[in-house]
Amino acid sequence: MRTLIILTLLAVLVMAATCYESHESMESHEYLNPFINRRRANDFIQADMRLEAISQERIRERNKAPQERQREICEDYYPCEVYAFRHGYAAAYRHYFGRRRTK
């Protein structure tokens, strides 16, 4: 019985020593809220650069080369896309959209 009491006390001491939460671990801001919101996550990127990059992307979308526009039109029409795989996008665009008939 005496050894059982000693082993129990020893187990309690080991558990108290290993499970003790120090004050230093609670100083971290991550302890209370480990996740940050989207705005704070993107704070390292400067707002001016983000806006400039977005506007440059919009300018590039507006001023596309004619070949790129033709390729996108051809990609949206499945028979043209299949034809393009064999003969190229320029030939496929000419084949399907090159001779437009207006009556």
Side-chain angles (χ1 to χ4, degrees):
M1 184 71 161
R2 189 176 197 188
T3 54
L4 183 62
I5 294 173
I6 292 174
L7 285 176
T8 306
L9 285 174
L10 186 62
V12 168
L13 285 174
V14 168
M15 187 178 72
T18 57
C19 296
Y20 174 71
E21 188 137 350
S22 69
H23 178 67
E24 294 166 350
S25 67
M26 297 183 84
E27 288 177 355
S28 173
H29 299 291
E30 296 172 354
Y31 177 75
L32 298 174
N33 189 6
F35 303 105
I36 59 176
N37 63 19
R38 291 179 183 161
R39 288 188 190 133
R40 295 235 7 245
N42 292 327
D43 278 347
F44 65 94
I45 298 176
Q46 296 175 355
D48 296 339
M49 294 183 76
R50 274 188 292 165
L51 293 175
E52 184 179 323
I54 290 171
S55 65
Q56 287 295 325
E57 182 66 27
R58 297 295 173 244
I59 289 170
R60 270 185 254 131
E61 284 178 3
R62 259 186 299 176
N63 300 330
K64 290 184 180 177
Q67 294 86 2
E68 188 175 355
R69 276 193 234 115
Q70 290 174 358
R71 182 180 178 135
E72 288 177 355
I73 290 169
C74 190
E75 285 174 347
D76 290 339
Y77 185 56
Y78 183 73
C80 182
E81 188 176 17
V82 171
Y83 191 88
F85 287 141
R86 284 190 77 119
H87 305 285
Y89 280 100
Y93 184 84
R94 277 193 309 272
H95 180 77
Y96 285 97
F97 303 105
R99 26 188 164 123
R100 297 248 176 184
R101 295 187 185 117
T102 55
K103 293 184 179 183

